[in-house]
Amino acid sequence: MVQLNDFLKTAEKKKALPKVIAYNRIDGPGSSLDLDKFQQAFWRLPHIPDDDDPAWKWTQNLPRTVGITINTGTKIEVHPFDPDLIGVKSVEYETEVIAHPGEVVPVSENWLLKIIEIFNLSGVMFVLKNLRKGIHSSGLGGSSTATIGVCILANELAGRPFKKIQLISMASRIEQGLELSITGTQEQSNVLFGGVTDYVWFPWGKPEHPGTGYGESLRYELVPPDDYGLLEGRMAIFHSGQHRQSSEVNRSWMNSFLTEEGYRLHSQKMKLAYMYREGLRLQKWHHVLESIEKYRKIRTKLCEGYMESSWDLLERAKSCNSTVFPLGAGGGGGVLLFSPNPESLDKLRDDLTGIYSEIPFKIRSKGHEISNTKITENY
């Protein structure tokens, strides 16, 4: 067992407690294709060409998502605790769970505690605090961001026994397995890799390459940091003012997936996700708009509740040559606004002022920052 009480007491005196800042993401067309059942159902053995084609046309029928890292998220700090105990405290949600290592009951409220136990740590209290007050996750992948953040920090303190893809798989399976939420691997991958990144999913690992299975992906940077401003000027996030359980929407999608019509609609998502990818890569902003519109319509057909709190935002967006995309499963209240024309988005922003609250953001090239651990190099 890795006993960290003494190390953490010394770190506390130096005001240098180990911590990680794990950043959230904006999703879009392709969202939900990272869920395990979708990855597996739509994956087909592809012919992978030898030439380096930035368009990756051979991937257009494979499950994929695009993650855009933004500067909201969760700070996770490790404090000294009773040498025989482990604990997790959430400042935002005002919750705390404590247990003896080896005695963590596998129930949903213990999901983060279970991760600490997996890494065989003791004498630690992980304290989580959102970087921005009052928004919780807002469809930005908050619970998954927290989960992979705890995995990253625990892995550092344990001497890095696991590699990146293993951490992604662990975080996703812990959340899903303990029934905290229906989750895939997009948010977790975003925290590990960051930037504006296209993920093509390989649920059993890449063919003819040794891999770790679930969590494996082929990744491509779609927008370099120097061009982030072009995207920031065309995107905004507003809060609808309403919250509900995202799991309800995810469950509806999963149920529809088991019907012939639902499967047919879900199967159209891959090409729209590819259109979104190429629109971002080539800065074809009208293609981005079209892919968002078509993808949102499919999601709404599959579950009308997805748009429950966003219809008014959509009508206002249309009047300003813009569109909307409820983030995540649409339950957190966060809604992405997009326009090919920055001036149109500014007009829409003015129209929404005083009615809806904006969640301002900047795009980040890295998904997390680590400090004050025994191993100081970043991933």
Side-chain angles (χ1 to χ4, degrees):
M1 184 168 292
V2 184
Q3 175 53 255
L4 293 172
N5 181 270
D6 291 340
F7 165 73
L8 292 172
K9 283 183 177 178
T10 301
E12 190 173 44
K13 289 178 182 177
K14 295 179 179 179
K15 297 183 179 180
L17 289 169
K19 68 178 179 180
V20 63
I21 297 176
Y23 291 102
N24 292 149
R25 60 89 188 99
I26 298 172
D27 64 9
S31 177
S32 76
L33 291 177
D34 63 320
L35 298 176
D36 58 353
K37 284 186 171 60
F38 291 101
Q39 284 194 36
Q40 294 167 18
F42 293 127
W43 199 86
R44 301 289 184 274
L45 184 66
H47 169 68
I48 304 177
D50 294 329
D51 58 317
D52 184 19
D53 174 16
W56 281 6
K57 290 181 181 178
W58 62 274
T59 70
Q60 61 186 321
N61 292 317
L62 293 177
R64 66 156 24 85
T65 52
V66 173
I68 301 175
T69 304
I70 59 174
N71 61 339
T72 67
T74 303
K75 180 178 79 171
I76 305 166
E77 195 170 60
V78 184
H79 292 248
F81 196 45
D82 185 305
D84 298 322
L85 296 171
I86 54 177
V88 177
K89 179 180 180 180
S90 170
V91 175
E92 188 83 4
Y93 290 93
E94 298 181 344
T95 59
E96 184 173 301
V97 288
I98 298 168
H100 290 277
E103 299 178 7
V104 179
V105 180
V107 293
S108 59
E109 58 265 30
N110 285 343
W111 96 99
L112 295 177
L113 207 58
K114 201 68 185 173
I115 293 169
I116 299 170
E117 184 184 59
I118 287 170
F119 284 93
N120 213 18
L121 305 180
S122 185
V124 297
M125 171 66 78
F126 279 58
V127 180
L128 286 72
K129 184 178 181 180
N130 281 6
L131 298 182
R132 188 166 292 148
K133 292 182 179 180
I135 65 169
H136 291 190
S137 69
S138 295
L140 299 172
S143 65
S144 296
T145 298
T147 306
I148 189 65
V150 169
C151 285
I152 291 170
L153 192 51
N155 194 52
E156 289 285 317
L157 294 171
R160 293 190 187 172
F162 292 107
K163 297 189 180 299
K164 294 177 184 179
I165 302 303
Q166 290 174 296
L167 293 179
I168 291 168
S169 182
M170 178 189 295
S172 178
R173 291 180 183 275
I174 286 286
E175 266 198 88
Q176 184 95 7
L178 296 187
E179 299 182 348
L180 179 78
S181 66
I182 298 173
T183 186
T185 52
Q186 179 202 165
E187 294 94 342
Q188 299 86 348
S189 298
N190 172 78
V191 174
L192 261 302
F193 299 109
V196 182
T197 303
D198 174 43
Y199 298 93
V200 180
W201 303 113
F202 291 83
W204 301 285
K206 297 174 186 175
E208 301 180 4
H209 289 267
T212 57
Y214 192 56
E216 186 68 72
S217 61
L218 196 63
R219 296 173 294 278
Y220 188 96
E221 180 186 63
L222 297 177
V223 179
D226 287 348
D227 289 342
Y228 284 172
L230 296 174
L231 197 51
E232 290 167 351
R234 291 169 169 83
M235 287 184 167
I237 301 174
F238 276 77
H239 200 286
S240 68
Q242 299 182 41
H243 290 276
R244 69 181 186 286
Q245 290 297 317
S246 294
S247 58
E248 295 173 7
V249 177
N250 275 326
R251 196 167 289 111
S252 294
W253 284 334
M254 298 301 282
N255 290 338
S256 67
F257 185 53
L258 303 178
T259 68
E260 289 187 12
E261 176 62 13
Y263 190 90
R264 185 188 67 78
L265 286 169
H266 279 297
S267 66
Q268 296 174 21
K269 290 180 175 180
M270 271 69 70
K271 287 190 175 180
L272 293 176
Y274 182 77
M275 180 192 292
Y276 181 62
R277 177 224 202 249
E278 286 296 274
L280 291 174
R281 183 179 73 88
L282 300 172
Q283 298 178 15
K284 293 185 176 180
W285 307 119
H286 286 283
H287 287 192
V288 174
L289 179 91
E290 183 181 353
S291 64
I292 290 174
E293 280 277 286
K294 290 182 175 180
Y295 200 92
R296 189 196 66 242
K297 287 176 181 177
I298 288 175
R299 292 185 111 189
T300 307
K301 285 181 182 178
L302 291 163
C303 176
E304 191 171 343
Y306 170 64
M307 283 292 293
E308 190 174 281
S309 60
S310 305
W311 291 113
D312 178 62
L313 276 167
L314 177 59
E315 291 305 312
R316 291 174 182 271
K318 285 180 176 178
S319 68
C320 295
N321 300 313
S322 305
T323 192
V324 305
F325 190 87
L327 295 168
V335 181
L336 173 67
L337 279 54
F338 179 83
S339 177
N341 188 316
E343 288 76 19
S344 296
L345 187 62
D346 287 340
K347 180 182 176 183
L348 176 57
R349 182 180 275 114
D350 291 341
D351 179 52
L352 298 176
T353 300
I355 304 172
Y356 297 97
S357 58
E358 184 172 6
I359 302 173
F361 69 88
K362 290 290 184 181
I363 299 173
R364 290 187 51 85
S365 61
K366 292 186 177 180
H368 69 278
E369 299 175 69
I370 302 172
S371 56
N372 303 329
T373 59
K374 293 179 181 178
I375 303 172
T376 56
E377 302 90 352
N378 278 338
Y379 278 84

